[in-house]
Amino acid sequence: MNPFYVFFLRILITVPVSVLTWLISYFFMNNGFWMSGLIGAGVGAFTYWISGIIIVHRWMKSKGLKRKEFRFIQDNLEDARIKMTRLHRALMAIRHWPSGRQRKDFIKVTKRIYQLVQKEPRRFYQAESFFYSHLDSAVELAEKYVFLSSQPKKDWELERSLTETRKTLQELMVHVDKDLRSVLANDIDDLHYEIDVAKHNIKKLKDEKTIDESRRLK
């Protein structure tokens, strides 16, 4: 759920309620200017608080989530956000130009998985391997690579370790690509279904047109 959207919607509700309360208190209840202001601010604060609860509750209900489940997913997303920041920083710090394009694609894929789950929290269960395993491994490997490659002197053993780390990161990229496909699996199935329906309808229209033309020729 987009925090900015929730904040904007709460403000959009709170401000008119607060102003209307102040006007009623000042002009119709004969309270003083400052007292009306305090009453309006109090009602506004309550409105802001309760509107947040209602908005989040309705959104969770529309997504088929319970509050505990939603909080669990949000906590995991926050942990993942921190890890992704570390991962992206480390990947951008790697000075290996041949793999530069792959690393940029890796960053895009991880961001896409995160955005999809943030928008549709139930997708989290289709990407558990990413959040619980692949992301952690990628962070550790990328940061370790940056640390080792920054050493002033590199012997054969260190160079071999760096090469092995790059290969392992590339293998992880393949697994993360699969994670993204898992997150999109239902959407792909729905698309195939819609394509089949569309093809069936097109064929039906063509058959009806052929039959009509045959009748006219007779």
Side-chain angles (χ1 to χ4, degrees):
M1 189 174 192
N2 192 326
F4 178 78
Y5 168 77
V6 176
F7 172 76
F8 178 77
L9 188 57
R10 293 170 77 180
I11 291 296
L12 200 64
I13 296 170
T14 299
V15 171
V17 170
S18 184
V19 172
L20 182 62
T21 301
W22 180 86
L23 290 172
I24 293 174
S25 177
Y26 184 71
F27 289 104
F28 296 97
M29 300 179 67
N30 296 320
N31 289 316
F33 181 87
W34 295 111
M35 178 59 71
S36 298
L38 287 173
I39 294 173
V43 172
F46 176 78
T47 302
Y48 183 83
W49 173 72
I50 197 67
S51 63
I53 294 176
I54 294 173
I55 291 170
V56 172
H57 175 75
R58 293 187 64 179
W59 183 82
M60 288 191 299
K61 187 176 180 180
S62 70
K63 303 299 180 183
L65 294 170
K66 295 181 180 180
R67 180 172 292 276
K68 185 177 180 180
E69 186 180 19
F70 173 71
R71 177 50 56 191
F72 168 75
I73 294 173
Q74 289 300 112
D75 289 342
N76 277 278
L77 281 175
E78 179 58 23
D79 289 341
R81 185 188 65 79
I82 296 171
K83 294 174 185 176
M84 285 172 57
T85 299
R86 291 168 53 193
L87 173 63
H88 297 168
R89 186 185 299 117
L91 289 174
M92 295 304 293
I94 293 176
R95 295 294 180 262
H96 183 258
W97 307 117
S99 64
R101 179 62 183 272
Q102 287 179 314
R103 284 182 279 115
K104 287 182 180 179
D105 289 341
F106 193 22
I107 290 172
K108 289 180 181 178
V109 172
T110 57
K111 284 183 177 180
R112 187 56 181 155
I113 293 173
Y114 182 87
Q115 291 168 350
L116 286 168
V117 175
Q118 186 180 42
K119 185 177 180 180
E120 297 286 341
R122 292 202 68 84
R123 293 180 190 264
F124 172 82
Y125 301 110
Q126 297 167 293
E128 287 183 310
S129 58
F130 171 75
F131 289 103
Y132 290 149
S133 175
H134 299 153
L135 180 58
D136 289 330
S137 297
V139 172
E140 292 298 324
L141 286 171
E143 290 184 338
K144 185 67 71 175
Y145 183 94
V146 172
F147 172 73
L148 293 176
S149 64
S150 67
Q151 302 309 307
K153 293 184 179 181
K154 300 181 181 66
D155 57 16
W156 179 85
E157 181 64 26
L158 181 55
E159 289 290 354
R160 189 181 70 82
S161 297
L162 290 173
T163 301
E164 186 67 24
T165 302
R166 285 198 303 270
K167 289 181 180 179
T168 307
L169 273 172
Q170 290 173 353
E171 292 174 3
L172 267 176
M173 292 176 192
V174 174
H175 287 294
V176 172
D177 281 335
K178 291 180 180 179
D179 291 335
L180 177 59
R181 287 197 291 272
S182 295
V183 173
L184 295 172
N186 291 338
D187 300 86
I188 294 173
D189 290 342
D190 290 343
L191 177 61
H192 288 165
Y193 174 76
E194 293 299 332
I195 291 173
D196 291 339
V197 171
K199 286 181 177 179
H200 174 75
N201 290 336
I202 291 171
K203 185 178 183 302
K204 184 178 179 181
L205 289 172
K206 286 182 178 179
D207 292 342
E208 290 176 352
K209 185 177 180 181
T210 301
I211 293 172
D212 290 341
E213 289 177 352
S214 299
R215 287 175 178 174
R216 283 198 296 269
L217 290 175
K218 291 180 180 180

